[in-house]
Structure formats: C-alpha cells, structure tokens
Amino acid sequence: MKARYSVACAFWAFPAALCLAVAVPARAQQDYPSRPIRLITPAAPGGTTDLLARLFGARLTDVFKQPVVVDNRASASGVIAGELTANAPPDGHTLLLAYHQHTVNAALNPKLPYHPVDSFTPITQLTSAGLLLVVNPSAPVRNLEEFVVWTRNFKGPLNYGSAGIGSGGHLAGELYKMMSGVKAGHIPYKGSGPALMDLIAGRYHFNFAGMQGAQAQVRGGKLRALAVTTPKRLAALLDLPAVSEALPGFEVVGWYGVIGPAGLPKAIVTRLHDELVKALNQPDVRERIVADGSEPVGSAPEDFRRFMLADLAKWARLVKESGAKLD
C-alpha cells in the first residue's frame, strides 16, 4: 500500500507537503487521544454540569481507552474554566463541559479574557433543559400559586440562591423578581451542589436549579419542587406547572455542550462529536436525560456554533432588561 500511495502522488505531481497534509488528518484521528483527556467543568461536584461531565466522561473513557478526568473549576462563575480551556493546546486533550453561563458571562462582563464563541471550537450541544424552582420542605408553600403569594408578601429579608453570578438560576431569579414585583437578594455559590446543600440547610428561601441535581434532592425528600422554567410543562414532570402559568411569558431554558480551544483539528472534532452523539443516543443515557427533564440534542459543530452566537444575543437582551449585575 505504501508503494502505491507514493506512486499515486508522483503520478499526479502532488508536492510532497500536500501528500503529507492528506495523511495527517487521518493519522491525527487515528492516534487521538494519546493520553488522558481533561474535561474541565465550571461547577462544583453534585450539580447538573458535573453529573453530565461524569456521565459522558465515563462513556468516552470506555471508547478511547484513555481516562477522561473531570476537573471541577467552579470559581469566578466559570470564567476560570473558560480561560483554562481557551488557553490550552488545541490537541483535543483539554475540553470544557460548558453550559448557558458560558454565554451569559459575556453578557454580564464585556472584559472577559476570551470570546465565548470565537475563542473556542464548538463540538456538540448535548442537551437543552429548563430549571426547577425548589424550596426547602419546611417552607409554607406547596405549589406555584402559594409561592408567588408568599414571596410577594414575605416579611423580612427574602433571598434566593444560584450556582453563581451569571448562571441560569441567577437570571431566572432576576427575571422572576422583575415579572412578579418581588424583592429578593441573590446569594451566588460556586456551583449547584453547594447552593442546593445550603437550601436544604435552610440558609435561604428558593432556587431555580439545574434539573438533574435538583431532581435528585427532590426524590430524596430534601427539597420540594414547585415549577419548571420551560414554556410548557414537561412530559416527565406533568404534575409540575410551568412558571409561565402564573407569570405569562416567563421562560429560562439553558443548554449543556462540549467545546474545546479554538483551532482544534477537524478530524479530532469529528471523532469527539461522533462519539459523544453515540453516547447520547444510547437508550440508558437518553432515558436518564429525559427522566431528569432535559432534552437530548447532539447538534453538528457548525450548528452548535450558530446556536451559541444566538444564545449570546438572547442573554444580552435579558441582562439588559432585568438589570442583572456582576455585583
């Protein structure tokens, strides 16, 4: 085969460099990965982002025969995780399990050390998901209508928590305040896990939390779910109303996906995309995602890039209208 390959190149008078260029992408895809993959996660252990990172990291470990190591970087609302990924060598051995806060950060902070889209290589959007409005079981409310009345008439300081400044839960809380007329303070945490633990401990009053992490606590009886932030009720949670049933027009739907540094070779992007979508299409993975109130996506890299640009514009409008601030 080597002799025929060389003759073909000579016969067509291809420059040696061009012959090499034809061979490199295939070899890059075949040799990848050559060492453990670092999957950076802009959240603390226990939240939705961390759960997805570990779920898909385990599937990639099985396929690639190289460990996929989840690296939790919850500080600075995910900016540190984004900067680490943007500055990593574009060889596919450093990836980011990004979510909607990745684009929200740019809407809140025009001085980010990277561009949320152009500084990265989108690989695939894994899921889309609304949030779950949860309270401590000791709260004197059992449904959405009672919650709205309770928060509007609350005596004393009322607070809500979130996975961090710029998270979907942060903006959902600001949107709720804006549309309901409620006054509430925001308590940002370094990830969904710590935020939910403090809600369970009764240290604040409510949270618009990621579906998967919150559902686990609801099933365990440690939190009470009141509503979802999707436009309509979810098939998997039909007993829970959408917040829009009490506040028409309320909607906060986020996303989760995998991206890498800008300049990732196309062959590696294709390999990662294909393996992630294969994992996403496995029945047990899809069932778990749907059961937690999310929807599988598995978009192509270019479609994911266009989606992220549109998402950036959407969050910028919401930040402007809600008046959300970094401090």
Side-chain angles (χ1 to χ4, degrees), residues 117-133:
V117 182
D118 295 343
S119 298
F120 299 87
T121 300
I123 297 168
T124 190
Q125 181 186 349
L126 294 173
T127 67
S128 65
L131 302 172
L132 196 64
L133 172 59

Side-chain angles (χ1 to χ4, degrees), residues 23-43:
V24 165
R27 187 166 64 248
Q29 187 174 16
Q30 184 178 0
D31 294 345
Y32 174 80
S34 60
R35 61 181 186 275
I37 295 173
R38 179 188 188 192
L39 181 55
I40 299 176
T41 307

Side-chain angles (χ1 to χ4, degrees), residues 249-274:
F250 186 101
E251 176 185 349
V252 178
V253 179
W255 57 269
Y256 297 84
V258 178
I259 61 180
L264 276 184
K266 185 177 179 180
I268 291 178
V269 174
T270 298
R271 180 92 192 276
L272 283 166
H273 171 270
D274 291 351

